[in-house]
Amino acid sequence: MAEQYTYAVARIRAKELSLLNRQDLEQLLAYKTEQDCLRFLVDKGWGETGMDGEEMLSHELDKTWNAIQELVPDLSAFSVFLYPVDYGNLKAAIKSAVTDNRPERLYLYRGSMDPEQMEQAAQKHDFSNLPPIMREAAAQAFQTLLHTGDGQLCDIILDRAALAAIQQAGKDSDSPLIRDYA
């Protein structure tokens, strides 16, 4: 166990070198074009040449989660950090089902749930397969969007539910980190 901990600490310390410091952020803000910003980030070890901003951010997010997964075999302790992604995907699934429109790159990945499961639930208007904490808000948001056409109200319902889920996870957790986050 001590060896695992030592390895994890050393790995994280090595990764800290690629973090942007205050000076880096100020320099980044001083650039006039997106291309200059992206070039600066590539020079700092972020992404690869030719990536746009979204691709670079997605690439870095994948690297981060892969590193966490390498160090911590059970990611369930981190699921609370994925709730915003899950609820964002639920918004997309509901809006897609109600408007009968499915744009490209609709879902964010790296959530704790499969976005396709949410899409099927929204298409069938049956949210019983979703986690209990999500079911009621999903049904309410769906009905609200269906009857009012108000996408912002749908977002508010699901954002409130996401915050409530995070808060509940904090109350249920033994981890001070999760409690503080919540």
Side-chain angles (χ1 to χ4, degrees), residues 130-156:
L130 298 181
I133 198 159
M134 236 183 206
R135 286 180 199 150
E136 186 178 328
Q140 182 184 4
F142 183 87
Q143 289 302 319
T144 298
L145 184 60
L146 187 63
H147 294 298
T148 67
D150 189 342
Q152 285 185 319
L153 187 54
C154 172
D155 289 350
I156 289 169

Side-chain angles (χ1 to χ4, degrees), residues 97-98 119-128 139 142-143 146:
V98 170
E119 183 175 22
Q120 289 174 1
Q123 293 293 335
K124 294 178 182 177
H125 314 240
D126 177 12
F127 301 100
S128 61
F142 183 87
Q143 289 302 319
L146 187 63

Side-chain angles (χ1 to χ4, degrees), residues 80 83 133 161-174 178-179 182:
V80 69
Y83 288 174
I133 198 159
L163 292 173
I166 291 168
Q167 184 179 39
Q168 188 60 49
K171 288 178 183 175
D172 296 344
S173 178
D174 295 331
I178 302 299
R179 283 196 305 269

Side-chain angles (χ1 to χ4, degrees), residues 59-140:
H59 177 77
E60 290 303 311
L61 186 60
D62 285 345
K63 280 177 30 182
T64 300
W65 279 109
N66 289 337
I68 291 171
Q69 197 166 18
E70 179 184 318
L71 299 172
V72 182
D74 179 17
L75 293 179
S76 63
F78 295 97
S79 64
V80 69
F81 297 111
L82 303 176
Y83 288 174
V85 173
D86 291 337
Y87 281 86
N89 285 340
L90 185 56
K91 287 180 196 180
I94 288 172
K95 288 178 179 181
S96 176
V98 170
T99 63
D100 201 26
N101 182 13
R102 190 170 196 287
E104 219 177 292
R105 295 169 57 182
L106 181 63
Y107 298 111
L108 300 171
Y109 288 90
R110 291 284 185 191
S112 66
M113 293 183 58
D114 178 17
E116 301 302 322
Q117 179 184 1
M118 291 182 202
E119 183 175 22
Q120 289 174 1
Q123 293 293 335
K124 294 178 182 177
H125 314 240
D126 177 12
F127 301 100
S128 61
N129 288 337
L130 298 181
I133 198 159
M134 236 183 206
R135 286 180 199 150
E136 186 178 328
Q140 182 184 4

Side-chain angles (χ1 to χ4, degrees), residues 15-54:
K15 290 264 183 214
E16 284 179 347
L17 299 175
S18 67
L19 293 176
L20 300 177
N21 59 33
R22 183 179 200 72
Q23 183 181 354
D24 293 333
L25 292 175
E26 288 174 6
Q27 190 174 352
L28 191 58
L29 289 171
Y31 286 116
K32 301 237 184 276
T33 69
E34 180 183 6
Q35 291 308 318
D36 290 340
C37 292
L38 293 174
R39 197 172 12 266
F40 173 79
L41 290 170
V42 168
D43 290 345
K44 285 292 191 177
W46 285 51
E48 299 169 6
T49 303
M51 288 183 164
D52 67 22
E54 269 192 56

